[in-house]
Amino acid sequence: MSVISALRNETTSWYEASARQRIDALVDRGSLTEFVGPAARETSPHLAIFGLPTQLDDGIVVGEAALDGRAVLVAAQEGRFMGGAFGEVHGAKLVGLLRAARATRRDVLICFDTGGVRLQEANAGELAIAEIIRALVLARLAGVQVVGLIGGRAGCYGGGGLIAACCSTLIVTEQGRISVTGPEVIETNKGVEEFDSKDRAFVWRTMGGKHRYLIGGADRLVADSAAAFRAAAIGALSSPTVLDAGTLDAEQARLERRLARFGTAEDATEIWSALGIDPVDDLPALDESSFLARAGGKRESADGAR
Amino acid sequence: MERLTFTLAAAKQAGGLRQQAIIGVVASGNLEVMLERSAPSGTCTFEIETAAHGFGAVWEAVLNDFVARRAAGGLRITINDGGARPDTVALRLAQGVRLIEGDEA
Amino acid sequence: MELDDILASLFPAGHEVRVAHGRIAGHGVLRDGRRIHVVGLADGIALGVEDAASLAAQVLAIARQTDAAPILMPIDSSSQRMSRRDELLGLNEYLAHLAKSLLLAEQAGHRTIGLLYGGSAAGAFIATALATGTLVALPGAHPEVMDLPSMARVTKLSLDVLREKAKATPVFAPGLDNLARTGAVHATWDPAQPLTAQLEALLAEPAGDDARDLLGQQRQGRPKAAAIAARVVHEATRGG
């Protein structure tokens, strides 16, 4: 890697970058070959019904590339187009990539940035997510690593959160929010007393990357830069994990232990205190290295149990 | 959605060797621009889908200005527009030409 | 059809299936004596962290058994439970764990069959019915990815406009027919015929690969998915 590209990565904010910028900065310089790229013009056939503009890649880039010299498959969702949501074409590209991963035994990097199912093509999007989960799990059972990277504007919501939790390893930033039901949807359905979606600090400590890292919902917490994601992805692929019956038995035990330990907590800060972290009030404000130093040895990990 | 197409004379041939470039995102007030080296030399073609109706004359003015200032001959340019302002359109077109010439955007 | 009638029609030779807290568990016996594990959701339950963990534990216990007996998963749920507590505890991991457990059991030789007899929606639908190898439904089942009023809020379109658009395409509106046309539902069973015969006929078909995208193409509910996925596979496997 040249000095110039290293500098470029160092200063590329993952949160601010587009899907194409993220992939460019993540993989070895110039190594991406895109599949069914924008020139193929495979756009959504459904958005026109709603008078909405299409995007040439339907909001996702998929292809093959090299990561530190190793052949990998990559995908990146564009969170600014339709909230990065899964539509028919968008989803099918990731389905195809994961089926190919199993066939060619290549590891996969997925840069999530999604609000979940694209409502205008909800049935197709929902089913695509189910197909993605099946293809992902079959690839992992065949020995493929699937690494999820989460730190975009749209977070990783809805079915995206389920796909993420099927990955071998999850790399997140503090901004990388993961959940099933989004804040606005909970508030709309259950009221503002249940969930105040405008309370940004509350949203982040309930769904954000630091909390997910502390309870074992994510594996590596990194700073908001493409260089940090790149280093963590290289690290993840060099320490492979397996998916088998033992893994899921361990995950069952891990998730039951979480209910037993934290099931009565009202707020994330109670969980952090129960983990033995002290103090907890300033955790959201800490930079990554101070945070990791304070959380060290106290967090719940998902090693060998995801 | 409104669909617009233009074929403009573009005397200066696009530089560089890249076959294709894409820049921008389709979002409110933003647009994506894809450039391919597949138009006849001396012309630049535009295929536009835009969420904003009735701005054909504005598009034509922006595109005429673009082909007059930049080396755009031989380019087929595809645009999906989420209702961007003319200055944003001009910026993305300029970034696109720099990209296909092989420079950083 | 009510769950009791469904179970009686499925297992005329007898079954031991119990429902508690909206969770279905037990087993039934086919006419040839074959055992069928039964794990599912009843009473329109919203799937929360405890429910998902409990179902997954049952599925993993079955996966460890070497009897290769199929798993039947009757589903009448609503969506995932929408609450601060469930999200705080990482509901996405619980739902994904349940889906992974079903896929593992299937790979371990236990064919998985979803039987949608009531509702299901959103993340709960993905983690249960849509994670089975074959999904069948009974008339009256009412799956929905997102309800039309919520969709109206997000798209800023009126309910009437959405209903009008839904006539032109099965791709977004709720309902069994629409989901079936996208390929999500393999077949809708006939409640007037014994369900046990229909289950036996289904088990006689080979399970095969995930062909839901091809089904959606044939039924014209998903015009592009199958071709796009196949094209990505083709381009990704060209070189090696």
Side-chain angles (χ1 to χ4, degrees):
Chain A
M1 216 173 118
S2 72
V3 173
I4 292 166
S5 69
L7 282 173
R8 200 177 70 125
N9 289 353
E10 207 66 61
T11 54
T12 300
S13 158
W14 193 264
Y15 188 79
E16 299 292 339
S18 70
R20 289 177 185 280
Q21 288 168 331
R22 284 177 192 153
I23 285 200
D24 279 350
L26 178 68
V27 303
D28 297 353
R29 195 71 186 272
S31 67
L32 175 74
T33 300
E34 188 171 355
F35 305 141
V36 193
R41 293 173 166 75
E42 292 289 1
T43 56
S44 164
H46 309 298
L47 292 176
I49 303 167
F50 293 86
L52 291 169
T54 58
Q55 182 160 300
L56 290 162
D57 59 13
D58 204 35
I60 190 169
V61 181
V62 300
E64 61 192 358
L67 181 71
D68 204 24
R70 172 191 190 120
V72 293
L73 298 174
V74 290
Q77 296 180 294
E78 177 51 67
R80 287 177 295 173
F81 173 67
M82 301 298 297
F86 289 86
E88 178 174 352
V89 173
H90 181 118
K93 285 163 87 170
L94 190 49
V95 171
L97 193 78
L98 289 161
R99 287 178 182 165
R102 183 192 187 197
T104 64
R105 298 290 195 274
R106 272 179 292 180
D107 295 336
V108 187
L109 308 173
I110 304 175
C111 309
F112 292 97
D113 197 356
T114 185
V117 166
R118 187 185 296 169
L119 289 187
Q120 291 82 1
E121 34 195 297
N123 297 336
E126 176 101 342
L127 197 40
I129 288 166
E131 289 166 339
I132 288 163
I133 287 173
R134 177 169 286 265
L136 195 163
V137 169
L138 290 180
R140 283 193 63 195
L141 288 169
V144 169
Q145 303 292 307
V146 183
V147 178
L149 300 83
I150 301 174
R153 288 164 180 271
C156 186
Y157 283 99
L162 271 69
I163 300 170
C166 290
C167 289
S168 324
T169 307
L170 280 182
I171 305 167
V172 298
T173 62
E174 180 179 17
Q175 294 92 329
R177 292 141 294 141
I178 308 170
S179 92
V180 187
T181 318
E184 291 82 9
V185 180
I186 301 179
E187 184 181 318
T188 303
N189 283 282
K190 302 294 169 184
V192 69
E193 312 76 32
E194 177 69 22
F195 209 105
D196 183 356
S197 67
K198 304 272 187 316
D199 185 343
R200 194 175 151 93
F202 165 67
V203 170
W204 283 34
R205 74 175 182 270
T206 306
M207 303 173 167
K210 281 179 177 167
H211 176 60
R212 293 299 179 226
Y213 175 77
L214 289 174
I215 64 171
D219 306 292
R220 290 164 189 252
L221 185 90
V222 298
D224 175 35
S225 80
F229 271 105
R230 178 178 159 88
I234 292 169
L237 289 188
S238 63
S239 47
T241 66
V242 296
L243 176 61
D244 59 19
T247 314
L248 291 186
D249 286 343
E251 181 165 67
Q252 182 74 34
R254 171 172 81 80
L255 295 178
E256 286 178 1
R257 186 174 63 240
R258 187 186 295 169
L259 292 181
R261 276 191 88 180
F262 312 127
T264 59
E266 294 279 321
D267 191 276
T269 50
E270 289 178 34
I271 294 178
W272 305 343
S273 291
L275 284 166
I277 298 169
D278 183 45
V280 297
D281 289 346
D282 61 341
L283 271 188
L286 294 181
D287 65 31
E288 283 70 23
S289 54
S290 315
F291 171 82
L292 292 173
R294 193 177 303 168
K298 300 197 169 80
R299 66 180 279 261
E300 289 274 352
S301 96
D303 295 347
R306 186 187 316 287
Chain B
M1 295 304 299
E2 186 167 329
R3 200 180 163 76
L4 303 166
T5 57
F6 299 95
T7 301
L8 303 181
K12 251 180 105 180
Q13 199 64 7
L17 290 170
R18 291 178 69 164
Q19 284 307 300
Q20 183 203 321
I22 186 161
I23 184 91
V25 171
V26 182
S28 181
N30 208 336
L31 75 162
E32 71 172 345
V33 174
M34 179 169 70
L35 306 89
E36 297 164 285
R37 232 177 264 278
S38 58
S41 121
T43 64
C44 181
T45 67
F46 298 89
E47 296 151 63
I48 300 160
E49 286 208 9
T50 174
H53 288 244
F55 290 92
V58 179
W59 279 103
E60 196 164 4
V62 171
L63 302 181
N64 272 313
D65 186 58
F66 166 70
V67 293
R69 286 160 175 262
R70 308 278 170 176
L75 294 182
R76 173 190 181 188
I77 297 180
T78 308
I79 294 174
N80 286 311
D81 172 44
R85 290 162 28 145
D87 55 346
T88 307
V89 176
L91 172 69
R92 290 280 176 266
L93 284 167
Q95 288 173 324
V97 164
R98 282 210 300 278
L99 258 184
I100 203 164
E101 285 170 350
D103 301 334
E104 294 293 329
Chain C
M1 262 181 115
E2 297 296 319
L3 184 60
D4 286 346
D5 302 329
I6 292 168
L7 292 170
S9 181
L10 277 169
F11 306 116
H15 67 79
E16 282 182 39
V17 177
R18 288 188 181 77
V19 181
H21 312 294
R23 301 173 203 153
I24 303 169
H27 67 270
V29 182
L30 293 183
R31 290 177 295 191
D32 62 4
R34 259 188 303 172
R35 188 183 165 93
I36 306 286
H37 300 285
V38 182
V39 179
L41 293 173
D43 305 328
I45 186 181
L47 187 58
V49 287
E50 288 86 359
D51 310 300
S54 160
L55 286 179
Q58 291 174 57
V59 172
L60 289 175
I62 295 167
R64 277 191 291 271
Q65 297 178 24
T66 53
D67 60 1
I71 301 172
L72 181 78
M73 184 171 237
I75 301 290
D76 171 22
S77 77
S78 56
S79 69
Q80 70 277 8
R81 196 161 63 199
M82 297 181 183
S83 81
R84 167 189 7 201
R85 174 175 176 271
D86 283 276
E87 295 302 346
L88 181 65
L89 291 168
L91 180 60
N92 70 306
E93 289 182 84
Y94 290 82
L95 297 184
H97 176 67
L98 174 54
K100 281 185 278 188
S101 299
L102 283 164
L103 290 163
L104 178 88
E106 186 182 341
Q107 293 304 303
H110 303 271
R111 199 157 162 191
T112 55
I113 293 158
L115 174 58
L116 191 64
Y117 72 98
S120 192
F125 193 29
I126 294 173
T128 59
L130 291 178
T132 59
T134 312
L135 177 61
V136 295
L138 281 163
H142 44 94
E144 62 180 16
V145 174
M146 177 71 98
D147 59 294
L148 281 187
S150 299
M151 214 175 278
R153 266 198 306 276
V154 175
T155 59
K156 298 182 175 62
L157 296 169
S158 74
L159 273 176
D160 286 343
V161 169
L162 282 178
R163 286 197 191 98
E164 196 55 38
K165 288 183 190 301
K167 288 178 189 161
T169 171
V171 82
F172 73 88
L176 179 57
D177 291 346
N178 290 328
L179 264 306
R181 283 185 63 192
T182 59
V185 180
H186 177 74
T188 301
W189 281 354
D190 181 357
Q193 301 298 321
L195 297 183
T196 191
Q198 297 177 74
L199 176 57
E200 285 165 0
L202 183 65
L203 289 172
E205 297 171 22
D209 291 333
D210 189 350
R212 290 175 287 187
D213 52 0
L214 291 169
L215 210 53
Q217 185 181 46
Q218 284 161 21
R219 296 174 179 172
Q220 299 174 327
R222 278 195 296 164
K224 295 184 85 164
I228 296 285
R231 191 163 159 197
V232 170
V233 171
H234 175 73
E235 293 185 19
T237 50
R238 247 183 332 212

